[in-house]
Amino acid sequence: MKKIKLLAKILLCFFIFAFLVVAALHFTLIYVAPLESVKTKIINTIKEQTLADVKIGSISASIFDFHVKNLELDIEKQNIAKIDSVYIHFSLIKLLKGQLKVNRIALENTDIVIIRDKQGKFNFDPIFESPMFKTDPEKEAEKAKKEQESKDKEDEKINPLDLLLTSTQLHNCNITYIDEQTNMTVKLLKTSFDMKSFKFDNSFKIDFFTDVYLKLNDMEIESLNVALSAAASLNEMDLTTAEIQIVSFILRLKDTTIVTKGTISNFNNPKANLSIKISDLCSQSLLSIMELPEFKVPEIDIQTLTNVNLDKIGRAH
C-alpha cells in the first residue's frame, strides 16, 4: 500500500511539473514572444522573395497553435488574395518529445482573384520574375550536392524535426477567375475543402464542396453545386498502384442531379469502375446551357468499366 501511495505521489508531482512547464511555455508565447518582429520579418521575406506586398493584421501564438489574422496579398497594387484567418495547430505530445507535428491547417473566409488580360498575362505573373524563381547554376549545383550528402547520411542521422501534416481545412473560400481573352468568368463560391489523415504511404480522406458560377459569352450558369467525398491512396506516388475511391461525386444543376460512385486506379493507364445515377434530367435544367425541346427523364442508371491505355494514345500521336 505504501508503494502504491508513493507511486501515486510521484505521478502527481510529474503531472504538476508537466502542467507548469506547458503553462510557462504557453504564457511566454502569448505575452513575451516578439510576435510583431516576427510579423515584420515574414512580410519583408515574402516581399524580397516574391516582389508581392503582404499585409498582416495580427499574429498570435501559443503552445497549441499559431494564428494569423487579416492576411492580404497584392501584386503590382492589385489584390490577389484575402484570408481572414489562418490557423496552424500543433501536437503538444509530439512537441514535448522534440518533434513538430502539424495536426491541422485551417483557412477561413478566403477570397482569391485570378485575372488573365487580353494579352494573355495573368495578374500573378510578376511572381515568376521574382528572386524566388530565379536560379543560379552554381547555387543549384551546391544545393544538389548538399541534398545528396544529406541523403547519404539519412540512415545515420534522425531528424528531430518531424514535420507531419494530418489535416487541411478550407472554409468559405471564394475563387474568381476572369479571362478577358475569351470573355469568360468562373466563380467557385462558398468552397470548403477538408483533407484528413494525409499520408503519402497510406489512404486519406477528402471532402470538397463548391457552388460554381459560369458565364461565357451568352451562356450563364448561375449555380452548379459540386460535392465530392473520397478516399485516396498515393502509395508513395507510385501512379500504377495509386487509387481513388469515390464515395460520392455529386453534380446538381437546378432539378437535375448526377451521382457518381466507384473507383479509379492506375493513373499511368487509368482504370475506372463507376456507377452513375442521373435523376430528373430535364430541359428546364439545361435551359441556361442550350435550348432543347421540352423533356424529362426521371432516372438513368449507368454502370461502366473503362480502361485507358495512355501508352498507345501517346504512340498514336
Side-chain angles (χ1 to χ4, degrees), residues 104-267:
R104 183 167 71 98
I105 293 178
L107 279 69
E108 295 185 353
N109 303 326
T110 302
D111 289 291
I112 298 171
V113 179
I114 301 170
I115 300 173
R116 187 172 77 154
D117 64 21
K118 292 180 179 179
Q119 287 71 44
K121 293 183 179 180
F122 289 93
N123 55 348
F124 55 79
D125 277 351
I127 289 180
F128 296 108
E129 299 171 7
S130 66
M132 185 170 69
F133 288 92
K134 288 183 179 178
T135 58
D136 185 328
E138 291 183 4
K139 288 183 178 179
E140 287 295 314
E142 186 178 344
K143 183 181 176 182
K145 184 180 178 182
K146 286 181 179 179
E147 286 178 354
Q148 185 59 43
E149 289 174 357
S150 176
K151 189 176 180 181
D152 293 339
K153 294 179 180 179
E154 199 174 70
D155 296 332
E156 303 171 14
K157 185 180 177 181
I158 298 174
N159 188 355
L161 192 65
D162 183 19
L163 287 171
L164 299 170
L165 175 63
T166 57
S167 177
T168 302
Q169 295 175 331
L170 192 66
H171 299 294
N172 194 28
C173 175
N174 299 313
I175 302 172
T176 301
Y177 172 64
I178 299 171
D179 193 325
E180 295 178 352
Q181 275 193 331
T182 59
N183 195 27
M184 179 175 69
T185 300
V186 180
K187 296 181 181 180
L188 305 182
L189 305 172
K190 301 176 184 177
T191 303
S192 65
F193 175 80
D194 190 353
M195 181 173 65
K196 297 176 181 176
S197 305
F198 175 78
K199 289 183 179 179
F200 282 106
D201 59 350
N202 210 336
S203 63
F204 56 92
K205 294 181 180 179
I206 298 171
D207 289 295
F208 173 80
F209 171 83
T210 192
D211 188 9
V212 180
Y213 168 86
L214 170 64
K215 182 172 174 55
L216 177 60
N217 298 320
D218 296 330
M219 184 184 75
E220 185 176 22
I221 299 174
E222 294 184 354
S223 180
L224 171 64
N225 297 142
V226 180
L228 170 68
S229 180
S233 179
L234 298 179
N235 285 338
E236 297 183 342
M237 300 306 293
D238 181 0
L239 295 181
T240 57
T241 58
E243 182 179 271
I244 295 179
Q245 293 182 350
I246 302 171
V247 179
S248 65
F249 177 49
I250 302 172
L251 299 174
R252 182 175 289 111
L253 180 61
K254 294 184 178 179
D255 296 330
T256 302
T257 304
I258 303 172
V259 180
T260 302
K261 299 179 181 180
T263 304
I264 301 173
S265 58
N266 187 358
F267 291 91

Side-chain angles (χ1 to χ4, degrees), residues 77-131:
K77 297 182 180 180
Q78 279 192 323
N79 183 258
I80 300 292
K82 290 181 182 179
I83 306 173
D84 279 0
S85 296
V86 180
Y87 292 93
I88 302 175
H89 295 261
F90 305 111
S91 167
L92 177 59
I93 294 173
K94 291 286 185 179
L95 201 60
L96 293 173
K97 291 180 179 180
Q99 298 175 327
L100 182 61
K101 179 179 179 179
V102 179
N103 277 340
R104 183 167 71 98
I105 293 178
L107 279 69
E108 295 185 353
N109 303 326
T110 302
D111 289 291
I112 298 171
V113 179
I114 301 170
I115 300 173
R116 187 172 77 154
D117 64 21
K118 292 180 179 179
Q119 287 71 44
K121 293 183 179 180
F122 289 93
N123 55 348
F124 55 79
D125 277 351
I127 289 180
F128 296 108
E129 299 171 7
S130 66

Side-chain angles (χ1 to χ4, degrees), residues 32-57:
V32 180
L35 294 177
E36 281 300 316
S37 63
V38 171
K39 182 175 81 171
T40 303
K41 190 171 183 179
I42 290 172
I43 291 171
N44 291 338
T45 301
I46 292 174
K47 186 164 186 176
E48 287 171 6
Q49 293 298 315
T50 67
L51 304 180
D53 292 316
V54 178
K55 297 175 185 176
I56 296 175

